[in-house]
Amino acid sequence: MTNSKQVQTFAKLPRANTGPVECPHTGAVLLQSSQFNKGSAFPSNERTEFKLHSLLPPNIQTLDEQVERAYQQYQSHEDDLSKNVFLASKKAQNEVLYYKLLQDHLKEMFGVIYTPTEGDAIQNYSRLFRRPEGCFLNIHDQDRIEEDLSAFGTADDIDYIVVSDGEEILGDGDQGVGAILISVAKLVLTTLCAGIHPSRQLPIVLDCGTDNQSLLDDQLYLGLRQYRVRGEAYDAFVEKFVQATRKRFPKAFIHFEDFGPRNAQRILDKYQFQIPCFNDDIQGTGCVTLAAMLAALQISHVALKNVHIIIFGSGTAGIGIADQIVEAISNETRIPVKEASKQIWCLDTAGLLIDSLGDGLTDGQRRYTRADDEWPDHDRDLLTVIKRVKPHVLIGTSTKGGAFTEEIIREMAQHVKRPIIFPLSNPTRRHEAIPKDLYEWTDGRALIATGSPFSAVEYSGREYDIAQCNNSVCFPGIGLGAVLSQSRLVTKKMIAAAVEALKDRSPVLRDASLPLLPGVEEVRDISIDIAAAVIKTSVQEGLARADWIPHDDSDLRFWIQSQMWEAFYRPLVRVD
């Protein structure tokens, strides 16, 4: 049990979420700082101390009153994109109010601040641009990276970095410099879902150009107006970024986001044994999908050693999911990874991956090819593969809307009692199937998780909530655990511990009519579970660098919670 001495000690931690905050600003400058601004909620003593009386209306309001006004303003916007823009402006004005508004209305606003609406905001980045946020690095100014990073703090100021090169954004492809918004959005989720301090984050875009012709033809486009640089020059840019970041922020956790399929896996392969890093499209998607699948297999009484899985869509996400599943099968059954991989059949939109595709395959895809002589008739389409494989699990990461047709799903449902079907492609218009159809075509037997949020579905007089394979229930907790433990690396064992912690919170394990995964409303508690699992594994592997990590489970949870940022106004103390 945590004692009063420990409480006092935890309150002195550099990331403690209680106590006063030092503020160097006064007057109008303070009101323009989103980190310190309280707007109409500044108390009288702070209005005096920071010379604010004449700059604010006299009525002092509570944070809850401010949230009510902001929510009314939010509701006055008719479409989701304008709501997204409104929220971005609120974030630029008052950080605490922004996060409190989101926390109070998280389920309603989640799809506005992230997928699918954030994809629309990214596509329109140069047209909606008002003020810059984050760090912009471009391939022509590589020698200035260290200097550019120095504008964002010193060695102890940054905990969590999200970086993207913008090549594969949320199913919408190459968005160039607009990728800064995916880095920003991911960091918003780490704060909302895991309490990563917003002042200790850094969103970054690596601008290498863009192959999106519509952006190149747009005279308002804000990024480098050239085709993407690739090959050795690109690799040198990424290397300089990583080394400069490690030098400037040696304890920071680096989260790679929305890199293209030709680069994502090989960048992760290169750096995951050198620095604490993570690729959400590969590992995060794999984690949350594996947790949902394990829960579904448990209630459908299918053992991992017997499961047959088809993954339709063999890009970064699909191969990342395959890798996580293979690792889980190998760990549980003690069979080699190469043998475990034979339980997965990977397809792209042209059909099953086979050996003769050769140079047309990525390194990740080659791990899942089938011998040509297994498919001598050259008929490798999804329906044919399902007829031959009789899968228990069908996962879609193809971005091909409607690919899971009635014929395909009914064929699958003939062979298994509880078809496990995950149409995961984003945004919603790219979903392989919608839950309502899946229930109809499987006579209500399907176990479903989707990539985007869907409303509950009624079937045979019963309402079913739809689980969302939402990475935000997983990656923020992994990041929190890595940050607080100051782990030197993020290992496969740490990822596996995170998956198990998330699977244990599956609602369907308590009630078979409930979803496979918990909703975002529970995510902060889930992040504590995941962070605790990651931290304990980091300690066991000798990778944790943080001092005084508690060994007792309840103390560890309290230690974690004490360092999670909360959206409330803390007293300000004036400093020079």
Side-chain angles (χ1 to χ4, degrees), residues 385-547:
V385 176
I386 284 177
K387 287 179 178 179
R388 287 186 55 177
V389 170
K390 300 178 176 56
H392 305 90
V393 183
L394 175 60
I395 298 170
T397 54
S398 67
T399 70
K400 187 178 178 182
F404 295 171
T405 64
E406 181 174 359
E407 183 182 15
I408 283 169
I409 297 303
R410 288 195 182 279
E411 177 65 34
M412 178 185 181
Q414 286 186 51
H415 307 292
V416 290
K417 290 182 179 179
R418 301 296 305 271
I420 299 168
I421 307 171
F422 295 170
L424 301 182
S425 293
N426 285 315
T428 310
R429 64 181 179 274
R430 298 186 184 276
H431 259 50
E432 288 81 6
I434 61 173
K436 181 178 183 299
D437 288 340
L438 294 177
Y439 279 114
E440 293 282 349
W441 299 338
T442 62
D443 302 318
R445 293 182 287 124
L447 293 164
I448 302 168
T450 59
S452 291
F454 279 88
S455 300
V457 171
E458 186 176 328
Y459 180 80
S460 292
R462 190 171 187 176
E463 193 171 82
Y464 296 88
D465 288 328
I466 306 302
Q468 183 186 0
C469 269
N470 189 331
N471 292 17
S472 64
V473 298
C474 192
F475 81 81
I478 293 172
L480 179 64
V483 165
L484 295 185
S485 64
Q486 294 178 28
S487 185
R488 291 184 180 88
L489 301 172
V490 176
T491 65
K492 289 181 179 179
K493 287 185 178 180
M494 293 161 69
I495 299 295
V499 170
E500 193 62 28
L502 178 56
K503 190 266 286 184
D504 288 345
R505 293 293 293 260
S506 171
V508 78
L509 300 182
R510 303 190 303 272
D511 182 338
S513 67
L514 294 178
L516 293 171
L517 291 169
V520 292
E521 315 91 84
E522 305 174 53
V523 71
R524 283 179 77 92
D525 284 341
I526 294 168
S527 289
I528 295 173
D529 290 350
I530 292 174
V534 168
I535 291 168
K536 286 191 285 188
T537 307
S538 179
V539 171
Q540 291 166 5
E541 293 191 283
L543 295 170
R545 293 176 289 181
D547 297 326

Side-chain angles (χ1 to χ4, degrees), residues 71 74 87 101-102 105-114:
Y71 185 56
Y74 172 86
L87 290 171
L101 174 65
L102 291 180
H105 302 279
L106 185 56
K107 192 168 185 178
E108 175 185 355
M109 295 181 177
F110 193 91
V112 174
I113 62 167
Y114 192 48

Side-chain angles (χ1 to χ4, degrees), residues 35 39 73-74 86 122 146 168 170 195 205 230-231 243 276 278 298 313 322 359 364 413 450 461 464 478 506 572-573:
Q35 180 182 350
Q73 294 169 347
Y74 172 86
F86 166 78
I122 291 169
E146 283 188 40
E168 193 61 50
L170 292 175
V205 63
R230 301 189 183 278
Q243 297 309 325
F278 182 83
Q298 185 168 327
D359 292 341
T450 59
Y464 296 88
I478 293 172
S506 171
L572 297 184
V573 175

